[in-house]
Amino acid sequence: MKQQVIDLWKESFGDSDEFIELFFNRVYKEENTLTIRKNNQIISVLQIVPYEMTFWGAKVTAGYICGVCTLPSERGKGWMKQLMQEAIDEMQRRKYILTVLIPASEWLFNYYHKFGYTTIFDKSEEIHTQSDEKNEKIRIVAVTEILFDQAYDYYNRIQQQRECAILHSAYDFETIQKECILDGGNVWIALQNSKITGLALTVPTSNDELYIKDIIYDHPEAKTSIIQSVLDVYQAKSAKVRIPPTPANSEPYGMARIIDKEFLIQHYLSADIHADINAIRHLGDTIFTLTMFQYDQRKAFMNLMLD
């Protein structure tokens, strides 16, 4: 089964052998893989990767849908529609609270909307160029095995503080670092008086540009020092930096579908986020999802998926 899924993945996505090996060695699990077979051949497949997510003071279970693909000769026959419904049914059986995904192409936002998914995760980006703004008292170093636990503890603490965000275990974080290294980048930390004050995940995209997939920091000087230092390391002229979404400058990134509506209603009410239970119960699913995630304030945050 695993080799057939790998072969279909290769044909569908064109990822490198190294990335595929990373995913199938560290993320793939047969029990999280749903397939449709024809003549004993897998023709359609998807993965349900379990995560935790902060949700207004609670932690809830979320199923991340990824690796969604169908054999080219079998596309347009309704196999993925069948598989997506099976996935939703499976997540209900597992008592997941919600499900999330990142559409690989813009047209897929409309496709997944048919299955009850709503766009609630945005992303924003900044462009930074080389300057001399580094604070010399802040040391920027790549995360090594010795520093890994400290780096993860720092990253996890920041993520736990977010009101509505996908969480990652230390194992997930190690996988994410391996992906960065595979792409020629790394995880970098800012050290000030031996204390971590910032962290960034970097991937060079060309000879002149660097992509910072995520950056967190305690103060603006740490952010500036990390960006300028990694620009020097990669000898890049500019860096495109992924930042939490801002209402004035964001674009769609990820989608969610609520699986256990009653649980979220009760939590929403107990957290004093909303007072009118009857009004909530009668909201349409799309409006309900947007309300739960307070999408107009761009607070829902999803990052670092292997997508």
Side-chain angles (χ1 to χ4, degrees), residues 8 25 41 54 58 67 87 118 137 144 172 189 198 209 221 267 295:
L8 184 51
N25 283 345
Q41 179 187 14
T54 59
T118 304
K137 295 181 180 179
T144 61
D172 296 335
I189 53 175
E209 187 178 70
E221 280 191 336
H267 173 64
Y295 180 71

Side-chain angles (χ1 to χ4, degrees), residues 136-139 150 190-197 219:
E136 298 302 327
K137 295 181 180 179
I138 301 176
R139 188 163 58 98
Q150 288 177 264
L191 292 171
Q192 190 169 12
N193 299 323
S194 300
K195 178 185 175 183
I196 296 178
T197 59
H219 52 78

Side-chain angles (χ1 to χ4, degrees), residues 14-80:
D15 289 318
S16 68
D17 290 342
E18 292 80 9
F19 176 85
I20 292 172
E21 181 180 3
L22 177 69
F23 182 90
F24 281 89
N25 283 345
R26 294 184 63 88
V27 181
Y28 171 87
K29 290 185 178 180
E30 189 166 315
E31 62 266 30
N32 293 332
T33 305
L34 301 186
T35 65
I36 294 177
R37 295 174 182 267
K38 186 177 181 180
N39 298 326
N40 207 33
Q41 179 187 14
I42 293 175
I43 60 170
S44 195
V45 63
L46 61 75
Q47 321 277 325
I48 306 173
V49 183
Y51 285 99
E52 280 193 320
M53 182 173 183
T54 59
F55 195 89
W56 310 115
K59 286 184 184 177
V60 299
T61 50
Y64 173 54
I65 300 292
C66 67
V68 181
C69 55
T70 299
L71 195 68
S73 61
E74 295 292 332
R75 291 172 187 168
K77 299 181 180 180
W79 299 122
M80 191 49 63

Side-chain angles (χ1 to χ4, degrees), residues 7 34 41 59 72 111-112 124 164 167 185 193 200 210 235 248 286 289 297 300 307:
D7 292 342
L34 301 186
Q41 179 187 14
K59 286 184 184 177
Y111 178 78
Y112 289 119
S124 296
C164 190
L167 301 175
N193 299 323
L210 179 69
Q235 298 182 334
T286 297
T289 304
Q297 299 177 40
D307 59 326

Side-chain angles (χ1 to χ4, degrees), residues 125-128 133-135 138 140 154 190 192 197-200 212 215-230 241-244:
E125 294 174 338
E126 299 174 335
I127 301 295
H128 292 259
E133 297 182 51
K134 287 183 292 185
N135 184 332
I138 301 176
I140 310 301
Y154 177 79
Q192 190 169 12
T197 59
L199 179 149
I212 299 181
I215 186 166
I216 53 179
Y217 47 88
D218 292 343
H219 52 78
E221 280 191 336
K223 175 185 177 182
T224 299
S225 293
I226 290 178
I227 294 172
Q228 293 304 317
S229 293
V230 295
V241 183
R242 167 84 188 277
I243 59 172

Side-chain angles (χ1 to χ4, degrees), residues 38-305:
K38 186 177 181 180
N39 298 326
N40 207 33
Q41 179 187 14
I42 293 175
I43 60 170
S44 195
V45 63
L46 61 75
Q47 321 277 325
I48 306 173
V49 183
Y51 285 99
E52 280 193 320
M53 182 173 183
T54 59
F55 195 89
W56 310 115
K59 286 184 184 177
V60 299
T61 50
Y64 173 54
I65 300 292
C66 67
V68 181
C69 55
T70 299
L71 195 68
S73 61
E74 295 292 332
R75 291 172 187 168
K77 299 181 180 180
W79 299 122
M80 191 49 63
K81 180 180 179 180
Q82 176 183 329
L83 205 56
M84 284 296 298
Q85 188 55 58
E86 288 181 14
I88 291 168
D89 292 343
E90 175 63 22
M91 287 183 284
Q92 287 174 334
R93 282 192 291 271
R94 295 185 184 187
K95 301 187 183 303
Y96 288 175
I97 304 302
L98 51 92
T99 168
V100 299
L101 55 81
I102 302 172
S105 303
E106 187 174 346
W107 69 271
L108 286 170
F109 283 89
N110 288 331
Y111 178 78
Y112 289 119
H113 186 72
K114 298 175 184 177
F115 300 102
Y117 286 85
T118 304
T119 304
I120 53 87
F121 298 102
D122 278 12
K123 69 174 181 178
S124 296
E125 294 174 338
E126 299 174 335
I127 301 295
H128 292 259
T129 56
Q130 287 185 335
S131 72
D132 297 322
E133 297 182 51
K134 287 183 292 185
N135 184 332
E136 298 302 327
K137 295 181 180 179
I138 301 176
R139 188 163 58 98
I140 310 301
V141 298
V143 171
T144 61
E145 186 176 346
I146 295 173
L147 293 169
F148 181 86
D149 288 345
Q150 288 177 264
Y152 173 71
D153 288 346
Y154 177 79
Y155 166 77
N156 187 49
R157 175 171 59 82
I158 299 297
Q159 297 306 300
Q160 297 275 357
Q161 291 170 359
R162 296 186 186 276
E163 293 175 319
C164 190
I166 296 291
L167 301 175
H168 296 270
S169 67
Y171 184 83
D172 296 335
F173 193 66
E174 183 181 28
T175 304
I176 292 160
Q177 183 184 26
K178 287 179 180 293
E179 185 195 16
C180 286
I181 293 172
L182 192 63
D183 292 333
N186 211 327
V187 179
W188 300 82
I189 53 175
L191 292 171
Q192 190 169 12
N193 299 323
S194 300
K195 178 185 175 183
I196 296 178
T197 59
L199 179 149
L201 291 96
T202 61
V203 175
T205 57
S206 70
N207 292 334
D208 296 329
E209 187 178 70
L210 179 69
Y211 187 53
I212 299 181
K213 299 169 67 173
D214 195 13
I215 186 166
I216 53 179
Y217 47 88
D218 292 343
H219 52 78
E221 280 191 336
K223 175 185 177 182
T224 299
S225 293
I226 290 178
I227 294 172
Q228 293 304 317
S229 293
V230 295
L231 280 172
D232 289 345
V233 170
Y234 294 99
Q235 298 182 334
K237 293 180 180 179
S238 64
K240 184 181 289 185
V241 183
R242 167 84 188 277
I243 59 172
T246 56
N249 179 29
S250 63
E251 60 182 75
Y253 178 64
M255 306 181 80
R257 181 189 192 278
I258 291 173
I259 300 291
D260 191 338
K261 190 171 182 177
E262 286 301 313
F263 173 88
L264 289 187
I265 286 175
Q266 295 304 322
H267 173 64
Y268 207 58
L269 294 172
S270 67
D272 292 326
I273 301 169
H274 203 292
D276 190 343
I277 189 168
N278 292 319
I280 291 178
R281 288 186 188 281
H282 288 92
L283 286 173
D285 286 345
T286 297
I287 301 300
F288 174 78
T289 304
L290 294 175
T291 300
M292 285 289 178
F293 284 92
Q294 294 197 5
Y295 180 71
D296 59 332
Q297 299 177 40
R298 304 300 197 275
K299 289 189 175 183
F301 187 82
M302 177 164 62
N303 205 0
L304 306 185
M305 302 294 191

